[in-house]
């Protein structure tokens, strides 16, 4: 503030820069001074001197005085309410140089995280906390640990906070492992408090160095009827690994997380995995669950992977035709002159397509489908183009165009279905049955084609699909029956189209399967009422021989009481009219609301609907390359690699994807 004014009539100039919060302005005679409130150093305070020298002194003074962040940003003459929100301030580069703002609460808005709030509990610098936050940042965003050694990163951090002390990679690694252990305890507690069962998905990953990894994830519907996924383990498989070791690896992980007695379904991404492998896992788990047979531990294979597999069969069969179309498009796009000539021929041929020819990405099969679909619209132009360009040698015969047309029709259905599967990151199991049945029906039809090329291709595709269908049809149908919009009616409709005269036998298999599973849940529910078991589990193990001898009595009691009691949950559910279909139907909300009406069936629905019918991430739905670990992670030691991959998934799932510094 200004102490005196010699003229008496001239109004003192208002001091607007925030730098004056750290200086007293004093006038003596004709000289104006700025006195630092921290060190009492006197500098020029004339309005003609500006504030740059004051800012420079302030930075040196503060560094020398070792003030913490709260002292650095304290306003000497603040108003009663001086809390400033960075989210509400817009300033240009000049203002950034002159203003110091106290961030009591800073809100950072991004396009995809507008509600992300980082709360500075204390403005005093904390080396340990900053190191912890750096480790979380590296985990969350997948940054390489070598980031902390990059010169640009060090300069940025030092300018932001000169007091921060950098640690070597090993120190950051230790911090990451500590975060992993803390988060693992949280996940363990959540999973072991679940009332329902757990579905386990098993995915194979690879790296550019041809290493192999095994990713195990738990899928379940929580008490709020929200579908959840938690990565449990990310294991590095050494070069001596063989497929017959898979059961022991998985069982060890189940024991580690103490969820073997809660297992409901196993989902693998590969249909070619030996059945003995899954049988060994189920037999081991069934030892702790005498009321559930190995049949009732569902063996599921990923629907998305079987689609990609049969797509590859179609691509292989049409390989030469696809190559000719690629070469044709390359030739047409080789120069503007050739492109203009092709466009002229297209117009003369009466082609008014709004789509432009383009080359596909062979690693994304949906782009190959779009390339074929677009090329087919210019079919007549390609034929005419050959007549005017003798050097064009990649023309297709009429038969090859027909093959391309038919295969593109096959791919169109598969693209549409894959879009449905990948529309939701965590889809419930009920959406898969009608889509898979449509593929089944089409494969039957395609394999009956009079064209030998198409029928052989379709039979090869159908052979893979049939293997998948034999394993998964019951699980798919169970989920569809538990959709109140379909119940058994959808099974009856599709099975009549698929099986024809033998449909009734197949429908009965589904009906018997769902009754058998419901009876197992009813027995468990009876034991819960008696206080001898938890929901979704079998009888607890005990060394008491008398108690073991009464297991048969529990089953007898359930069976005899059922015949004397009123209609079961399942019968009541199936006999009632189906729920009207609408676009915004949410099956989990429906079961949440109807839980009191179907107490036992809702327990079963929770586990069935939470079964992962596909293990492929939506962003990889059309990729032919599979899950590949990035080089920065693959170069780490196995324990650190597992810690980073698992913790990254856990942190991203916290608070609906928000990353809060706690």
């Amino acid at each position: 503030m200004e102490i005196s004014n010699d003229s008496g009539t001239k109004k003192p100039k208002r001091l607007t820069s925030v730098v004056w919060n750290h200086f007293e302005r004093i006038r003596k005679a004709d000289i104006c001074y700025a006195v630092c409130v921290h060190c009492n150093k006197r500098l020029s305070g004339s309005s003609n001197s500006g504030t740059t020298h004051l800012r420079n002194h302030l930075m040196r003074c503060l560094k020398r005085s070792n003030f913490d962040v709260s002292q650095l940003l304290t306003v000497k003459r603040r108003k009663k309410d001086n809390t400033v929100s960075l989210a509400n301030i817009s300033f240009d580069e000049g203002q950034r140089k002159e203003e110091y703002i106290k961030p009591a609460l800073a809100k950072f808005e991004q396009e995809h995280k507008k509600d992300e709030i980082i709360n500075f509990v204390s403005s005093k610098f904390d080396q340990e906390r900053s190191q912890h936050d750096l480790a979380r940042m590296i985990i969350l965003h997948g940054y390489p640990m070598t980031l902390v050694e990059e010169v640009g990163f060090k300069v940025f951090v030092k300018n932001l906070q000169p007091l921060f002390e950098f640690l070597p990679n090993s120190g950051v690694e230790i911090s990451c492992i500590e975060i992993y252990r803390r988060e693992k305890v949280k996940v363990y507690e959540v999973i072991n408090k679940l009332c329902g069962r757990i579905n386990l998905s098993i995915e194979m990953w690879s790296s550019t160095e041809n290493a192999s990894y095994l990713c195990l994830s738990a899928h379940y519907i929580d008490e709020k009827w929200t579908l959840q996924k938690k990565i449990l383990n990310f294991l590095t498989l050494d070069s001596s690994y063989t497929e017959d070791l898979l059961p022991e690896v998985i069982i060890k992980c189940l024991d580690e997380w103490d969820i073997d007695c809660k297992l409901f379904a196993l989902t693998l991404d590969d249909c070619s995995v030996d059945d003995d492998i899954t049988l060994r896992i189920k037999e081991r788990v069934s030892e702790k669950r005498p009321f559930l047979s190995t049949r009732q531990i569902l063996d599921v294979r990923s629907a998305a992977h079987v689609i990609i597999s049969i797509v590859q069969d179609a691509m292989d069969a049409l390989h030469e035709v696809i190559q000719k179309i690629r070469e044709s498009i390359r030739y047409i796009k080789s120069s503007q002159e050739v492109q203009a000539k092709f466009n002229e021929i297209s117009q003369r041929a009466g082609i008014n397509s709004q789509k432009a020819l383009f080359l596909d990405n062979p690693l994304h099969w949906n782009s190959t489908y779009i390339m074929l679909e677009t090329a087919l619209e210019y079919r007549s132009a390609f034929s005419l183009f050959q007549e005017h360009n003798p050097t064009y040698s990649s023309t297709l015969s009429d038969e090859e165009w027909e093959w391309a047309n038919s295969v593109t029709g096959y791919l169109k259905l598969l693209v549409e279905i894959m879009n449905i599967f990948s529309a939701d990151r965590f889809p419930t199991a009920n959406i898969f049955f009608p889509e898979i049945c449509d593929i089944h029906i089409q494969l039957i039809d395609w394999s009956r084609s009079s064209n030998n090329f198409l029928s052989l291709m379709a039979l090869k595709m159908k052979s893979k699909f049939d293997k998948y269908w034999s394993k998964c049809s019951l699980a798919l149908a169970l989920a569809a029956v538990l959709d109140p919009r379909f119940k058994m009616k959808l099974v009856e409709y599709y099975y009549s189209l698929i099986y024809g005269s033998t449909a009734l036998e197949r429908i009965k298999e589904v009906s018997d399967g769902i009754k058998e599973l419901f009876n197992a849940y009813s027995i468990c529910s009876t034991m819960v009422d008696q206080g001898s078991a938890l929901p979704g589990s079998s009888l607890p193990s005990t060394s008491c021989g008398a108690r073991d001898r009464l297991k048969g009595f529990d089953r007898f009691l359930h069976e005899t009481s059922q015949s004397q009691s009123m209609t079961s949950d399942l019968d009541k559910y199936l006999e009632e009219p189906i729920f009207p279909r609408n676009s915004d139907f949410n099956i989990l909300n429906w079961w949440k609301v109807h839980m009191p009406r179907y107490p036992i069936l809702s327990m079963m629905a929770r586990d069935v609907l939470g079964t992962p019918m596909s293990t492929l991430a939506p962003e990889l739905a059309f990729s032919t390359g599979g899950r590949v670990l990035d080089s920065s992670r693959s170069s780490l030691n196995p324990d650190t690699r597992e810690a980073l991959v698992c913790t990254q998934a856990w942190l991203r799932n916290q608070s609906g994807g928000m990353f809060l510094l706690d």
Side-chain angles (χ1 to χ4, degrees), residues 539-606:
L539 276 171
S541 58
T542 173
S543 58
C544 177
R547 184 71 182 111
D548 289 341
R549 288 195 295 273
L550 291 178
K551 289 179 181 178
F553 172 71
D554 289 326
R555 188 187 297 275
F556 169 78
L557 183 65
H558 166 71
E559 292 172 351
T560 54
S561 61
Q562 251 202 337
S563 61
Q564 299 170 359
S565 64
M566 53 184 172
T567 307
S568 70
D569 278 10
L570 179 61
D571 292 333
K572 183 166 56 177
Y573 169 79
L574 293 176
E575 289 169 3
E576 291 176 348
I578 63 173
F579 191 80
R581 285 192 296 130
N582 57 71
S583 59
D584 59 349
F585 177 75
N586 186 313
I587 191 169
L588 297 184
N589 282 345
W590 191 93
W591 277 105
K592 181 179 180 180
V593 170
H594 290 80
M595 211 169 114
R597 181 170 178 78
Y598 309 110
I600 298 174
L601 190 61
S602 63
M603 283 197 315
M604 189 174 88
R606 188 197 300 266

Side-chain angles (χ1 to χ4, degrees), residues 228-241:
Q228 302 282 2
K229 176 184 177 181
K230 299 285 187 186
I231 289 183
L232 302 182
N233 297 92
F234 191 83
L235 307 174
T236 302
L237 304 177
D238 58 39
S239 56
S240 63
Y241 167 80

Side-chain angles (χ1 to χ4, degrees), residues 199-377:
N199 303 289
L200 189 70
S201 68
I202 303 161
E203 303 171 74
M204 294 298 298
W205 288 45
S206 63
S207 71
T208 53
E209 294 81 14
N210 294 321
S212 297
Y213 311 99
L214 194 67
C215 182
L216 278 70
S217 301
H219 304 252
Y220 58 89
I221 294 174
D222 62 21
E223 68 283 355
K224 296 180 180 179
W225 284 87
T226 301
L227 185 56
Q228 302 282 2
K229 176 184 177 181
K230 299 285 187 186
I231 289 183
L232 302 182
N233 297 92
F234 191 83
L235 307 174
T236 302
L237 304 177
D238 58 39
S239 56
S240 63
Y241 167 80
T242 54
E243 199 174 71
D244 61 322
L245 297 175
L246 184 62
E248 295 305 318
V249 172
I250 294 172
I251 290 169
K252 183 178 179 181
C253 292
L254 293 174
D255 290 340
E256 175 190 351
W257 288 91
D258 196 22
I259 56 173
D260 47 355
C261 64
K262 289 190 170 208
L263 187 63
F264 178 76
L266 281 169
T267 302
L268 290 88
D269 54 16
D270 190 354
C271 282
S272 63
V273 174
D274 193 340
D275 291 345
D276 290 340
I277 291 176
T278 54
L279 183 60
R280 283 165 57 192
I281 298 171
K282 293 197 290 184
E283 285 177 343
R284 175 72 174 270
V285 172
S286 296
E287 293 174 2
K288 298 187 178 183
R289 296 167 52 189
F291 280 94
L292 287 185
S293 66
T294 56
R295 168 184 166 88
Q296 291 162 348
I297 300 174
L298 302 183
D299 181 5
V300 181
R301 305 302 159 93
S302 173
H305 283 79
V306 76
I307 290 177
I308 290 175
S309 181
I310 63 178
V311 163
Q312 194 59 54
D313 288 337
M315 296 292 190
D316 290 344
L318 201 65
H319 176 71
E320 292 184 7
V321 174
I322 293 173
Q323 283 298 103
K324 284 186 176 182
I325 290 176
R326 285 182 183 136
E327 290 302 321
S328 297
I329 296 173
R330 284 194 187 98
Y331 181 84
I332 290 166
K333 290 181 170 292
S334 61
S335 70
Q336 292 183 353
E337 182 182 352
V338 176
Q339 179 76 66
K341 194 169 186 178
F342 182 81
N343 292 341
E344 181 184 343
I345 291 173
S346 299
Q347 290 178 356
R348 276 190 287 165
I351 298 172
N352 297 315
S353 176
Q354 300 299 312
K355 299 177 182 177
L357 294 173
F358 80 102
L359 283 171
D360 67 327
N361 179 352
L363 297 179
H364 294 89
W365 61 270
N366 59 330
S367 73
T368 303
Y369 156 72
I370 296 171
M371 181 187 72
L372 293 174
E373 185 183 51
T374 304
L376 282 164
E377 295 189 18

